[in-house]
Amino acid sequence: MNLISNSMRGPWTLFKKELLRFWRVSFQTVAAPVMTALLYLLVFSHVLESRVQVHGVNYTSFLIPGLIMMSVLQNAFANSSSSLIQSKVMGNIIFVLLTPISYLEFFLAFLASSIVRGLVVGLGIYLVAIIFIDLPMVHPWLILAFAVLGSALLGAFGIIAGIWADKFDQMAAFQNFIIMPLSFLSGVFYSIHSLPPFWQAVSQLNPFFYMIDGFRYGFLGVGDISPAISLSVVGASFFGLSLITLRMLKTGYKLRG
Amino acid sequence: MTPAIKIEQIHKHFGTLHALKGIDLTIEQGEFFALLGPNGAGKSTLINLLAGLLRPSSGKLSVMGFDVVQQYRQARHALGVVPQELVFDPFFNVREMLRFQAGYFGRGTENDPWIDEVIEALGLADKATTNMRRLSGGMKRRALIAQALAHKPPVLVLDEPTAGVDVELRQILWEFIKRLNREGHTIILTTHYLEEAETLCSRVAMMKQGEIVVLDSTANLLNHFPGKNLRLKLGSALPQSLSAMLRNEENGEYMLALSEVTQVEYVLAELRSANVVVEDMQLIEADLEDVFVELVGRK
Ligand SMILES: Nc1ncnc2c1ncn2[C@@H]1O[C@H](COP(=O)(O)OP(=O)(O)O)[C@@H](O)[C@H]1O
Ligand SMILES: [Mg+2]
């Protein structure tokens, strides 16, 4: 029990509370997204498997890593954003704001629980998928790196959204008009090389594209672009977004009037 | 001794609203202090500034000598706050919430006996594993008080702790808070129930529109306010000549404000000459409410 020093116990408790929060409702927060991903898999692989090959692999093997990563990202975002908006609307956010937990510790606790949620959902989809399909795993460390960094990036984005939104419908708008389009137009279902040049260029502005492509590269050993570039883009995006998030938290934007 | 609370020239603006206009207030350790005032006076704003939930526009606040902005960690360790609204986290039960709350302040399992003690003292023992969502309003209020105490703060601030609470629970809470004060906690509460301030608190500040208009010991306020109230039950309406003294009228009973006891003579004479029958009559000591109406109302 005393593995955690007293000064770390505050943020550690917040992290544990955030984990329990989604784990208590894991039917919605883990089982449901796993189910959704498997439905996509069933439909798309059934329709396209016999007709399409991407990067020289069959369509299902191409699709699975993309679907896993899409779910990882969406759930990492959902975790921090929904926790914050709920606590704000319910008013119980003050239980944390009254404590000595610093803005940096607050950030790390929410980030870490988003990462765990993303990884748990990703692992769930992976474990169910490999019952049915043989999936290669060429670079396991790249897979882990993209999963962690990607869920951290979306976790930070979720903190921003959760702090900014005052109402649930503003949060829904965030989900529907930013997160969903970015994740669907990121090359989960196709290689961007199959797009016209203009849309290829547009796709390269989408950070989700790099996360999905790099993550997929970890499994298949092939992708649209080099994983080193993807990792740099994702890392830099995470760094930039973290700075914005920390800035918001430090100034108390919408949290401390 | 370091004061429990020191507030110096605090101003708070919300946009164009000047909600606090230069508050100065020092509360010593061990005091039982009441902050009174009508809705919108700025009581909650002042408390939220102490708690760090709001930031001052200018001025300084400290808790047990620690500046609430610069030394926020120490200041928050020293402070327990019971918010005015009945907020709760629907995911957890009472004991879980208390453990989390203690954990946020760096306390671990060694703090569990204290949590059990607080649960016991507030009569929450048979609700300890009940989800917060399923508690009644009164039980939620107790749980909020327990949460504020989870890290054993020397200073406890309660923002309208008994608003909307039934009489029985109010008694339980009063006893509990008195006990905390006897055990050395500094207690600050805001209330509209003047009776609450009168029975519990040794010193009161009355606020109005962002300013402290009166600051004195409860005893002094009551002593130096010579007024009495005369309650009358009459056979017919109150004569016009006495309407200037009328404080309120309820179910055919009139409450008249007297500045001294001798005025009773005058009242009776007026009633007799107007041929009004006195069915019942009672002379009542002024209470804080009168002081409040007198002092705050007049300014
Ligand atoms: N967050 C806020 N934003 C804008 N105005 C506020 C805010 N909080 C309080 N006020 C205003 O400040 C004044 C004081 O409010 P408050 O401190 O809640 O009074 P009290 O607790 O004495 O009833 C009121 O006019 C209220 O409307
Ligand atoms: Mg208030």
Side-chain angles (χ1 to χ4, degrees):
Chain A
M1 196 64 225
N2 282 338
L3 290 175
I4 299 291
S5 78
N6 275 10
S7 61
M8 278 310 292
R9 216 182 244 146
W12 176 254
T13 305
L14 183 56
F15 168 62
K16 268 200 320 198
K17 190 215 76 174
E18 284 299 304
L19 285 188
L20 263 178
R21 195 195 66 88
F22 84 77
W23 196 246
R24 286 275 160 91
V25 285
S26 55
F27 198 72
Q28 297 160 45
T29 54
V30 179
V34 169
M35 187 72 196
T36 308
L38 293 175
L39 286 175
Y40 277 121
L41 186 61
L42 189 73
V43 172
F44 281 90
S45 65
H46 181 74
V47 175
L48 297 172
E49 170 69 21
S50 53
R51 294 174 223 176
V52 185
Q53 282 224 331
V54 188
H55 300 315
V57 299
N58 65 45
Y59 184 70
T60 308
S61 305
F62 170 85
L63 179 61
I64 292 172
L67 273 180
I68 295 177
M69 191 57 166
M70 184 169 86
S71 305
V72 167
L73 300 177
Q74 287 177 351
N75 280 279
F77 176 83
N79 203 63
S80 51
S81 63
S82 65
S83 175
L84 281 169
I85 186 79
Q86 279 181 20
S87 312
K88 277 171 51 180
V89 170
M90 298 282 301
N92 61 48
I93 185 91
I94 65 162
F95 296 149
V96 178
L97 298 179
L98 288 170
T99 71
I101 291 172
S102 70
Y103 72 94
L104 182 63
E105 293 167 342
F106 182 98
F107 173 72
L108 292 176
F110 273 88
L111 201 67
S113 86
S114 279
I115 294 172
V116 172
R117 162 96 171 264
L119 296 186
V120 167
V121 170
L123 191 66
I125 300 170
Y126 174 77
L127 290 177
V128 178
I130 58 170
I131 296 173
F132 306 105
I133 294 124
D134 256 338
L135 193 64
M137 194 186 269
V138 180
H139 304 290
W141 288 108
L142 268 186
I143 296 174
L144 191 65
F146 275 99
V148 170
L149 213 54
S151 42
L153 176 61
L154 269 291
F157 198 43
I159 298 176
I160 294 179
I163 291 175
W164 170 80
D166 298 313
K167 299 191 223 112
F168 286 110
D169 50 339
Q170 289 175 325
M171 186 55 81
F174 228 96
Q175 282 271 15
N176 295 329
F177 293 99
I178 299 180
I179 301 299
M180 291 307 268
L182 285 179
S183 54
F184 273 87
L185 303 177
S186 62
V188 172
F189 300 98
Y190 49 83
S191 157
I192 66 160
H193 285 139
S194 62
L195 295 175
F198 173 76
W199 289 107
Q200 278 194 37
V202 170
S203 296
Q204 299 204 359
L205 297 174
N206 178 357
F208 281 57
F209 160 71
Y210 299 92
M211 295 187 265
I212 304 262
D213 196 65
F215 186 72
R216 182 185 283 134
Y217 188 98
F219 283 92
L220 307 179
V222 285
D224 284 336
I225 54 165
S226 134
I229 295 178
S230 296
L231 204 58
S232 316
V233 171
V234 179
S237 309
F238 171 61
F239 186 71
L241 217 54
S242 295
L243 287 184
I244 297 173
T245 318
L246 286 169
R247 178 93 208 132
M248 283 170 88
L249 290 171
K250 186 176 182 188
T251 56
Y253 177 72
K254 290 213 179 180
L255 291 182
R256 299 183 199 270
Chain B
M1 200 159 52
T2 319
I5 300 284
K6 196 165 165 74
I7 297 171
E8 293 167 274
Q9 273 305 304
I10 279 293
H11 287 265
K12 179 66 186 175
H13 298 265
F14 293 112
T16 55
L17 177 74
H18 197 173
L20 293 178
K21 303 167 182 162
I23 300 285
D24 285 296
L25 180 62
T26 302
I27 299 172
E28 300 301 333
Q29 288 183 40
E31 272 200 75
F32 203 136
F33 191 91
L35 205 51
L36 300 174
N39 267 330
K43 305 179 297 292
S44 296
T45 302
L46 192 59
I47 285 174
N48 291 339
L49 286 166
L50 277 173
L53 297 176
L54 292 174
R55 293 173 178 193
S57 304
S58 67
K60 283 167 79 75
L61 311 100
S62 65
V63 181
M64 298 298 278
F66 299 111
D67 186 279
V68 303
V69 179
Q70 306 299 329
Q71 299 163 292
Y72 71 94
R73 283 188 193 259
Q74 295 97 318
R76 289 183 200 166
H77 268 289
L79 190 67
V81 178
V82 182
Q84 183 175 348
E85 280 82 29
L86 275 185
V87 291
F88 62 96
D89 190 327
F91 284 92
F92 302 105
N93 69 36
V94 175
R95 179 168 272 117
E96 285 168 338
M97 281 313 292
L98 295 181
R99 290 219 175 113
F100 287 144
Q101 212 58 36
Y104 295 155
F105 286 85
R107 289 169 176 256
T109 45
E110 79 286 352
N111 194 56
D112 284 354
W114 168 247
I115 287 179
D116 287 333
E117 202 181 318
V118 171
I119 286 176
E120 192 62 43
L122 280 163
L124 282 164
D126 56 346
K127 303 282 182 208
T129 54
T130 304
N131 186 291
M132 291 297 302
R133 199 174 34 203
R134 279 190 248 287
L135 296 183
S136 67
M139 284 294 166
K140 283 197 181 92
R141 182 67 69 189
R142 298 188 204 198
L144 274 179
I145 296 176
Q147 271 182 253
L149 288 168
H151 64 289
K152 265 193 177 174
V155 183
L156 182 66
V157 180
L158 304 105
D159 198 355
E160 310 216 10
T162 52
V165 156
D166 63 46
V167 178
E168 187 194 0
L169 176 55
R170 197 178 303 169
Q171 288 301 334
I172 294 173
L173 294 183
W174 283 5
E175 284 313 313
F176 180 67
I177 296 168
K178 277 199 271 193
R179 194 185 108 195
L180 288 172
N181 183 240
R182 276 197 306 274
E183 289 169 0
H185 292 263
T186 308
I187 311 281
I188 295 133
L189 58 82
T190 77
T191 178
H192 329 286
Y193 297 112
L194 293 140
E195 184 199 353
E196 193 158 270
E198 203 170 315
T199 35
L200 296 174
C201 301
S202 46
R203 218 154 60 95
V204 298
M206 294 184 180
M207 288 183 70
K208 191 189 173 189
Q209 292 175 3
E211 286 175 290
I212 292 184
V213 287
V214 178
L215 174 64
D216 206 340
S217 72
T218 316
N220 267 348
L221 283 173
L222 293 174
N223 282 342
H224 292 148
F225 188 79
K228 300 213 185 288
N229 291 319
L230 184 65
R231 185 156 61 202
L232 289 172
K233 198 161 186 253
L234 302 177
S236 48
L238 189 74
Q240 196 60 42
S241 57
L242 294 175
S243 62
M245 297 166 79
L246 183 65
R247 174 160 280 163
N248 64 52
E249 182 192 344
E250 222 172 280
N251 321 322
E253 289 196 341
Y254 298 90
M255 184 76 86
L256 303 187
L258 311 183
S259 51
E260 41 190 313
V261 186
T262 51
Q263 280 186 311
V264 176
E265 300 267 2
Y266 166 74
V267 172
L268 292 178
E270 287 297 310
L271 290 173
R272 200 173 307 121
S273 72
N275 274 325
V276 176
V277 182
V278 177
E279 293 179 352
D280 196 8
M281 186 177 96
Q282 199 182 358
L283 196 61
I284 304 167
E285 288 292 323
D287 57 17
L288 270 187
E289 185 157 356
D290 302 304
V291 180
F292 190 66
V293 169
E294 186 72 12
L295 294 170
V296 177
R298 218 168 36 195
K299 297 217 173 172

